[in-house]
Amino acid sequence: MHTTTTLVALFSTISAINAHAHITTWNVGGTPAPGFEYWVFKNSKALNSSWYSENGDNGFVPSKMINSPDIICHKDGKPGAKHTAVKAGAKVTASWSQYDGSHKGPAITYIAPCKGDCSTASKTALQWTKIAEQGYQGNNVWVTDKMRAAGMKTEFTIPATLKAGKYAIRHELIALHNAQNGDAQFYPQCINIEVTGGGSAVPPEGVVGTKLYQSKEAGVNFNLYTKFTSYPIPGPKLWTV
Ligand SMILES: *[C@@H]1O[C@H](CO)[C@@H](O)[C@H](O)[C@H]1NC(C)=O
Ligand SMILES: [Cu+2]
């Protein structure tokens, strides 16, 4: 009896961990870039364009850390050392390790000009502008359901008229299955890009990562289990270039 209980507890811990997610690979306008996988790369001195983070449990940033630096680019995030080059207007695809069916919520993308090399950027100073957002699609379908149907891929587009330069990208899923208790789960993942081509569009002044969200805002403190017809995507306003 005791052993069974322990085993059940153990298995449910494992599946809870497995249900979480991280980005395994990016496809940045046709160029593949490895995601940062803590288990594989924690001792690596050679970071690529993906940001380092100490996401050793494959977990999430909890709502209670919503105004802490961990919300910026995951737990103890540090800038990637390189930049993946991409043409303005290109599509970026992120492949996630998995995302359990219980995990429903939005996919949101921000961009921050690094004003120089992103590898030396101060993460708390980066100002993020929202360039893409998808959430509830109606008929009981979320963007995260579409993601599962598409082989765990999410995507967004680099604005076609964006000014060339070096930018950090913050792409994020938010899981709402416990959000009614104030426990939304944030899965932010970051990568440095160098945009070529483009135009003269400069992102309007963004918001520092620690001020993107408030724990009481409607899209964070949301109840999936009541009747609703729409979902207010949290964070600052979308920049439509
Ligand atoms: C960086 O990229 C190289 C080449 O794809 C790869 O072998 C290496 O494991 C990557 N390192 C990290 C930290 O992602
Ligand atoms: Cu999870």
Side-chain angles (χ1 to χ4, degrees):
M1 187 61 187
H2 184 110
T3 312
T4 312
T5 314
T6 311
L7 271 178
V8 168
L10 181 64
F11 281 124
S12 50
T13 307
I14 290 171
S15 62
I17 289 172
N18 287 345
H20 301 326
H22 67 280
I23 292 176
T24 55
T25 55
W26 303 80
N27 183 307
V28 186
T31 305
F36 183 80
E37 307 207 83
Y38 182 75
W39 315 266
V40 183
F41 299 130
K42 60 182 170 185
N43 297 317
S44 169
K45 296 279 178 283
L47 285 181
N48 292 316
S49 50
S50 291
W51 282 46
Y52 169 96
S53 73
E54 294 184 2
N55 183 19
D57 64 352
N58 197 27
F60 54 88
V61 180
S63 277
K64 65 173 193 289
M65 303 298 276
I66 210 168
N67 301 119
S68 92
D70 280 355
I71 197 74
I72 302 170
C73 291
H74 221 307
K75 187 165 184 260
D76 295 318
K78 293 183 186 64
K82 300 179 182 170
H83 302 74
T84 297
V86 60
K87 288 201 175 76
K91 195 167 87 179
V92 178
T93 305
S95 296
W96 295 81
S97 54
Q98 56 204 347
Y99 208 52
D100 186 80
S102 64
H103 289 42
K104 296 177 186 299
I108 309 178
T109 308
Y110 299 87
I111 196 165
C114 291
K115 298 177 179 152
D117 208 278
C118 295
S119 64
T120 54
S122 158
K123 68 176 178 181
T124 51
L126 286 174
Q127 292 185 305
W128 301 94
T129 297
K130 192 189 266 176
I131 57 165
E133 60 179 14
Q134 292 173 287
Y136 184 61
Q137 323 266 297
N139 292 322
N140 215 18
V141 175
W142 289 80
V143 63
T144 44
D145 298 313
K146 290 173 75 177
M147 159 197 179
R148 276 181 284 270
M152 294 299 159
K153 289 182 180 20
T154 49
E155 60 180 48
F156 57 90
T157 300
I158 307 291
T161 53
L162 184 66
K163 193 174 178 206
K166 291 175 173 166
Y167 296 88
I169 293 275
R170 179 182 184 281
H171 182 57
E172 169 185 61
L173 300 176
I174 306 175
L176 300 170
H177 53 290
N178 291 324
Q180 78 283 4
N181 301 322
D183 290 327
Q185 303 183 349
F186 295 78
Y187 296 90
Q189 301 271 272
C190 297
I191 186 169
N192 298 332
I193 59 168
E194 178 158 15
V195 175
T196 60
S200 57
V202 176
E205 194 177 343
V207 178
V208 295
T210 52
K211 293 190 174 156
L212 285 172
Y213 304 123
Q214 300 306 324
S215 56
K216 294 288 178 243
E217 73 182 281
V220 172
N221 203 354
F222 186 79
N223 191 339
L224 268 184
Y225 310 105
T226 55
K227 206 167 162 55
F228 57 87
T229 51
S230 66
Y231 166 73
I233 294 179
K237 196 161 102 246
L238 180 69
W239 177 41
T240 44
V241 194

